Structures are given as structure tokens and as C-alpha cells.
């Protein structure tokens, strides 16, 4: 019978585990505060833990700024941009930025905040080649499309990986009516001459 010496195990540093657990709890509270629009809690938590504004979460690996842009939380988006300006161009798992989220949800106030912080965000593309203008065209948000075109007029001609320009997405709008017509007109008028 072979006798094996007991193997040494690395000591567990319980203080590190406690700090990690606490950070997870605080981040969870921050996610809930952003999602529910609790500006006071977001402000308080970011003041104590500003590094959490850069953190990604969930399957899609979004930042809190993505979440604020989706939910239309303009004042919270401002707080998050102040804490972590680099998140203005942070791509999710498929490359969508907070500006894509704002454009896709028609949140012009947040789109403007992001464009003021980082004008080049208007040219960002997802892994499918979609720009924020493609998202605005899909959602029918003429106001956001105008903002994007004022920062990146060349985006009117950008094509995604399937070869579709924002105009194609606007023409396919399900809503039809005045909103779709206004979007198509804007994109046709804004397209630089080739």
C-alpha cells in the first residue's frame, strides 16, 4: 500500500472573499438603482464606488450606461458618464454601445449626452455592422437620427453586413405612416452626394 503525504492547500483569505462578496452586493444594488431610476441611490453608490460604473454584467456584457440608455434614465446616464467616460463607447457582447441603445429606444437626451462626451460614438458599429443610425432608423426615432446625422453625416450611407443602409431599415418600418415617411425623407435628404 502506497502512503501519500497530505497535500498542502493554499490558505483561504477570508478578508478577500468578504470584500468580493461585498462588491457583488454593492454592484447588485447599483444595477437595481439604475434600473428603477433611483438617482439618489446611484449618486450615493457611485460616490463610494466609482469604479463600478465601468463594470459589465449579464450575458450581453453591458455596462450600467447601456442600461440607463435602454431605460431612458437621462440624469442617471449623466452620473455614469461622469464616473466612467470611457463607457460612452463600450461595446456589449455583440458590439452595441450605449449610443446604439439610446438610438434604438428613441432616447434623444441620452444620445445627446453621449455624443457630447464622445462625438466619434456616432460611427461605432456592432458585430453586424450596424451603426447607431441604423438603430434609430429601425426604431423610427427621427429626433435621434437628426442628432446622429449632425455628428456623422456619412453614417447615412453606412451599410451593415447584409448590405442594408439606414434608409433600408427605415423603409422596412412596421409602423408606416408619418413617422416612417419622416425618417425616409430625412435619410434621403441627408445622404451625402456620391
Amino acid at each position: 500500500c502506497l502512503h501519500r503525504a497530505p497535500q498542502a492547500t493554499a490558505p483561504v483569505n477570508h478578508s478577500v472573499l468578504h470584500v468580493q462578496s461585498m462588491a457583488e452586493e454593492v454592484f447588485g444594488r447599483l444595477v437595481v438603482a439604475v434600473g428603477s431610476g433611483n438617482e439618489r441611490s446611484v449618486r450615493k453608490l457611485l460616490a463610494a464606488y466609482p469604479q463600478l460604473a465601468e463594470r459589465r454584467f449579464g450575458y450581453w456584457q453591458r455596462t450600467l450606461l447601456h442600461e440607463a440608455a435602454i431605460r431612458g434614465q437621462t440624469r442617471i446616464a449623466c452620473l455614469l458618464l461622469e464616473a466612467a467616460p470611457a463607457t460612452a463607447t463600450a461595446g456589449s457582447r455583440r458590439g452595441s454601445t450605449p449610443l446604439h441603445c439610446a438610438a434604438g429606444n428613441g432616447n434623444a437626451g441620452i444620445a445627446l449626452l453621449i455624443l457630447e462626451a464622445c462625438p466619434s460614438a456616432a460611427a461605432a458599429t456592432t458585430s453586424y455592422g450596424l451603426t447607431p443610425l441604423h438603430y434609430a432608423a429601425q426604431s423610427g426615432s427621427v429626433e435621434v437620427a437628426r442628432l446622429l446625422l449632425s455628428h456623422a453625416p456619412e453614417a447615412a450611407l453606412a451599410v451593415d453586413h447584409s448590405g442594408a443602409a439606414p434608409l433600408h431599415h427605415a423603409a422596412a418600418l412596421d409602423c408606416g405612416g408619418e413617422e416612417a415617411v419622416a425618417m425616409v425623407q430625412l435619410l434621403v435628404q441627408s445622404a451625402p452626394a456620391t
Side-chain angles (χ1 to χ4, degrees), residues 147-162:
L147 280 171
L148 293 166
L149 287 165
S150 72
H151 284 80
E154 68 283 356
L157 298 176
V159 294
D160 62 23
H161 294 323
S162 68

Side-chain angles (χ1 to χ4, degrees), residues 65-189:
L65 185 56
H66 283 89
E67 199 65 25
I70 290 167
R71 296 176 182 276
Q73 305 287 356
T74 306
R75 291 170 59 152
I76 289 174
C78 188
L79 293 172
L80 293 165
L81 273 171
E82 287 172 4
T87 59
T89 57
S92 69
R93 184 181 197 102
R94 297 272 164 85
S96 65
T97 65
L99 186 54
H100 284 92
C101 295
N105 288 284
N107 294 320
I110 295 174
L112 181 59
L113 277 173
I114 294 169
L115 288 167
E116 287 174 345
C118 183
S120 66
T125 58
T126 67
S127 58
Y128 301 108
L130 298 164
T131 66
L133 186 57
H134 282 94
Y135 276 53
Q138 287 173 341
S139 72
S141 179
V142 174
E143 185 180 4
V144 174
R146 279 194 182 99
L147 280 171
L148 293 166
L149 287 165
S150 72
H151 284 80
E154 68 283 356
L157 298 176
V159 294
D160 62 23
H161 294 323
S162 68
L167 179 59
H168 296 106
H169 290 274
L173 275 175
D174 289 336
C175 65
E178 293 177 26
E179 190 176 83
V181 171
M183 180 64 76
V184 168
Q185 287 175 336
L186 173 66
L187 293 170
V188 167
Q189 293 166 357

Side-chain angles (χ1 to χ4, degrees), residues 9-92:
T9 57
V12 175
N13 187 338
H14 293 284
S15 63
V16 169
L17 293 176
H18 176 70
V19 168
Q20 289 172 340
S21 173
M22 197 168 98
E24 290 298 318
E25 179 187 335
V26 170
F27 185 70
R29 290 188 356 228
L30 189 53
V31 169
V32 169
V34 169
S36 65
N38 187 336
E39 182 184 346
R40 183 171 175 236
S41 290
V42 171
R43 186 180 303 277
K44 183 178 174 183
L45 291 167
L46 285 177
Y49 307 95
Q51 71 280 7
L52 292 180
E54 296 179 10
R55 190 162 169 196
R56 296 168 184 272
F57 66 100
Y59 174 79
W60 293 109
Q61 291 296 290
R62 293 181 179 136
T63 64
L64 292 168
L65 185 56
H66 283 89
E67 199 65 25
I70 290 167
R71 296 176 182 276
Q73 305 287 356
T74 306
R75 291 170 59 152
I76 289 174
C78 188
L79 293 172
L80 293 165
L81 273 171
E82 287 172 4
T87 59
T89 57
S92 69

